Structures are given as C-alpha cells and as structure tokens.
Amino acid sequence: MSDSELLVDFSPFFQIYKDGRINRIDGIKLEPPLDPDDGVRSKDVVYSLELNLSSIKPHKNLTCRVHIPENTTPGHKLPLLVYFHGGAFCMESPFTHTYYKYHKSLVKAANVVAVAVEYRLVPEHPLPAAYDDCWTALKWLASHFNGSGPEEWLNAYADFGKVFFAGDSAGGNIAHQMAIRFGQEKLVGVDLKGIALIHPYFWGKDPIGNESKDPEGKAIMEKIWYYVHPTTTGLDDPLINPIADPNLASLGCSRVFIFAAEKDVMRDRAWLYYEELKKCGWEGSVEIMESKGEVHTFHLYIDCENTKIMLEKFASFLNQ
C-alpha cells in the first residue's frame, strides 16, 4: 500500500490516506472584515488555550467569531445568540462563507449579538470532544456577564439576561445538549431564555415515521453516529436520541423553537422531539415550523421564500 492510498472513505465528509492526510470537504475560511460590512461588524476571538484531556490529540487554540450590528452603541445591551455550526461533527466552521453569510443575516434581522463557536472535528477528535469544547466556550462567554470579561464587545453589547443557543444539524444536536447541561449545572450570570434547533441531528434505534421507507438515508445516519462517537452506547444514546434521555425535562430554558424540513430524513425526529417535550414534564413552551418541499439545511444554500420565512421566524423568536 502506497502512502497516498486511501484508508478511510467517509464521503461526502472526509477521506483519510495512509500517510495521515485528511481530505476534508469543507468551505474556504473567510477572515472577518476590519471595517463594517452590510451593517455588521465581526471579529475572531480565542476562547480556549487549554488541552482538553478527553481528546486523543492536543488541539490548536479554539476561536469564536463575534458579530455585532454596526450601529450598536456601548451600554445598549442586545440579546446574545450562541450558534453551533453543522457538518456531521466532521466539517464546516464558523469561518466559512456559508456560515459567515448566514450569521450576518441573523444579526441584521434580529438585532442581536451572535457568537459562532468553533469546535474540534472528527476524525482527529471523536466525540465527546465537540461537546466539551462548546461547554468550554459557554463558560468563557459567561465570564463576561458582569462586564469584566476579556472580550470588549461582549462586555459592552451582550445581554446575559437574554441568552439563546441555536444550531443546525449536528449544531442543533449540540445546542440541545448544551441546554441539557445548562439545566443541570447552570452558568453564573447567564439566563438561557431559549434554544432554536434547525433540522437537528437526532436519531434512534427503532425507526419512526417514514424512516423505514428510506433504508439508504437510515444507513447513512447510523454510520455517521458510530463513526463520530466510537465509544457510544448505541443509537439510543441520549447524545443522539434525546427521547431516551431521562433528564429531558431538565432542559435549562423556557422556550424551544424547532425548524423541520419536509424532505429531510430527520424530519420525523424533529416532530417526535416536539411532541415529547410537551409531555415529559418540562415546563416550557415549544413551537415547530416545517418548510414544505425543502431538504436538510436548505436555508444555508438557497435564497427562496422558505428561507426568508425561516429567518423571520428565527428573528421573532429571539425578540419575544
């Protein structure tokens, strides 16, 4: 076998070669502009310099991208949106054109401070590394609640009494898990008002709804989970199946908004999550919206009427 020979083909996400190279299918990193652009200012801030011992490899400095409305004035505090990107836990970042564009659209539509969190990716760093990183980021963010944290924009503009977690696909999974952990551990000075889950990556051992009619899609979902979390207890692990989590009622917020897509293989899981939240003993309110005729995370890649409706609903949720 030559050094350039393929060892692992996990298309369409990544490929691993014998010489250790990883070919990750990902976007091009975009540096934040130094000057205001389209009404939003952005910059990158390191949130973690530590070695996370739960990982098999040390990590580089982890960064978040902070976005604020251009016309915001110091002392005028805005809701804080913490966003976790998707990509099957193994690709994408807050710095690609896709997410940079989407996060700016959220900031403009909702008039919020948005913090997009970088986390370590599979295959270099299997789960639970991503969960650990995102909790580290949240603890770093919480250090700004009294206006004395290390990042000036967060001190000046972020309202820690109005915090929201959100994410799409794997990021939706992360947002849910961070809300569960927040409900159990809390973060001093942080009031988590709600979470928004866009086409969240949830699954389970037993098929529901139309899943049995799509054996190829079902097989892909299961393959992804076992690869990204090799030490998982299985497809009913609470990290992938929130319905199997005995702590679901401890979700640490009072409001949840779920976005589903009609042609998404995970559509039925989103609806099951919605129904379960209403009867598990959690005392908050939950809403769901389904985009007819659309596929998984369509809103990131196409500009259509359903994309605009989603953005409006999201912005409204952050400002209620």
Side-chain angles (χ1 to χ4, degrees):
M1 181 183 289
S2 68
D3 286 347
S4 62
E5 194 163 343
L6 189 63
L7 281 180
V8 176
D9 187 358
F10 205 67
S11 299
F13 304 112
F14 61 82
Q15 297 168 317
I16 304 175
Y17 293 86
K18 184 184 177 184
D19 61 8
R21 288 183 298 112
I22 296 175
N23 177 30
R24 178 173 281 112
I25 303 169
D26 208 346
I28 299 172
K29 179 175 179 178
L30 294 178
E31 299 298 334
L34 297 178
D35 299 316
D37 176 30
D38 294 333
V40 177
R41 289 190 287 163
S42 308
K43 67 176 174 179
D44 294 344
V45 184
V46 172
Y47 74 80
S48 175
L49 295 169
E50 300 176 357
L51 170 64
N52 192 319
L53 297 179
S54 70
S55 173
I56 59 173
K57 294 182 180 180
H59 65 65
K60 62 178 182 178
N61 295 346
L62 291 169
T63 304
C64 59
R65 179 159 286 183
V66 184
H67 307 273
I68 62 172
E70 178 185 352
N71 59 2
T72 300
T73 56
H76 178 62
K77 299 297 183 75
L78 300 175
L80 174 60
L81 171 64
V82 186
Y83 198 97
F84 307 102
H85 68 83
F89 298 102
C90 57
M91 64 180 194
E92 285 291 356
S93 83
F95 317 117
T96 58
H97 180 269
T98 298
Y99 280 102
Y100 186 43
K101 179 181 177 183
Y102 183 62
H103 295 150
K104 289 202 302 178
S105 70
L106 281 172
V107 170
K108 288 187 288 185
N111 197 37
V112 297
V113 174
V115 176
V117 177
E118 177 187 32
Y119 53 84
R120 289 171 295 164
L121 301 176
V122 177
E124 299 93 327
H125 305 285
L127 294 180
Y131 298 122
D132 293 341
D133 294 343
C134 291
W135 187 248
T136 296
L138 292 175
K139 290 192 293 183
W140 176 83
L141 286 168
S143 72
H144 297 81
F145 83 93
N146 62 359
S148 60
E151 172 44 48
E152 57 181 315
W153 281 8
L154 295 172
N155 291 331
Y157 305 118
D159 184 349
F160 285 87
K162 296 179 181 177
V163 177
F164 296 84
F165 300 162
D168 59 89
S169 195
N173 174 300
I174 292 173
H176 163 78
Q177 293 299 334
M178 293 302 101
I180 288 289
R181 187 163 179 176
F182 181 87
Q184 297 170 334
E185 300 183 29
K186 303 299 183 184
L187 291 168
V188 175
V190 175
D191 187 353
L192 179 62
K193 294 297 187 182
I195 60 174
L197 311 184
I198 304 174
H199 313 161
Y201 176 34
F202 295 147
W203 206 250
K205 180 180 178 181
D206 298 322
I208 62 170
N210 292 316
E211 290 173 0
S212 60
K213 298 178 182 178
D214 185 4
E216 182 178 354
K218 180 176 181 293
I220 291 172
M221 293 302 102
E222 296 175 1
K223 176 184 177 182
I224 290 172
W225 180 246
Y226 281 113
Y227 195 93
V228 301
H229 193 1
T231 60
T232 183
T233 58
L235 294 172
D236 283 336
D237 186 328
L239 292 175
I240 187 63
N241 186 0
I243 310 308
D245 189 350
N247 298 311
L248 182 59
S250 69
L251 195 69
C253 60
S254 60
R255 295 166 51 219
V256 173
F257 201 109
I258 307 160
F259 294 91
E262 183 183 21
K263 295 183 178 180
D264 182 4
V265 67
M266 290 174 278
R267 177 258 184 198
D268 293 320
R269 295 289 166 177
W271 278 96
L272 180 61
Y273 179 81
Y274 166 74
E275 295 294 344
E276 191 65 24
L277 274 184
K278 292 193 295 182
K279 63 183 182 182
C280 71
W282 176 66
E283 297 180 351
S285 62
V286 56
E287 301 176 71
I288 189 168
M289 184 187 83
E290 180 172 320
S291 298
K292 301 300 181 183
E294 304 293 359
V295 298
H296 189 67
T297 64
F298 72 93
H299 64 292
L300 295 174
Y301 307 103
I302 60 174
D303 187 11
C304 63
E305 186 62 25
N306 280 336
T307 302
K308 296 175 183 176
I309 292 172
M310 278 186 65
L311 186 61
E312 291 171 0
K313 290 286 188 181
F314 201 160
S316 176
F317 176 73
L318 297 175
N319 284 285
Q320 289 177 5

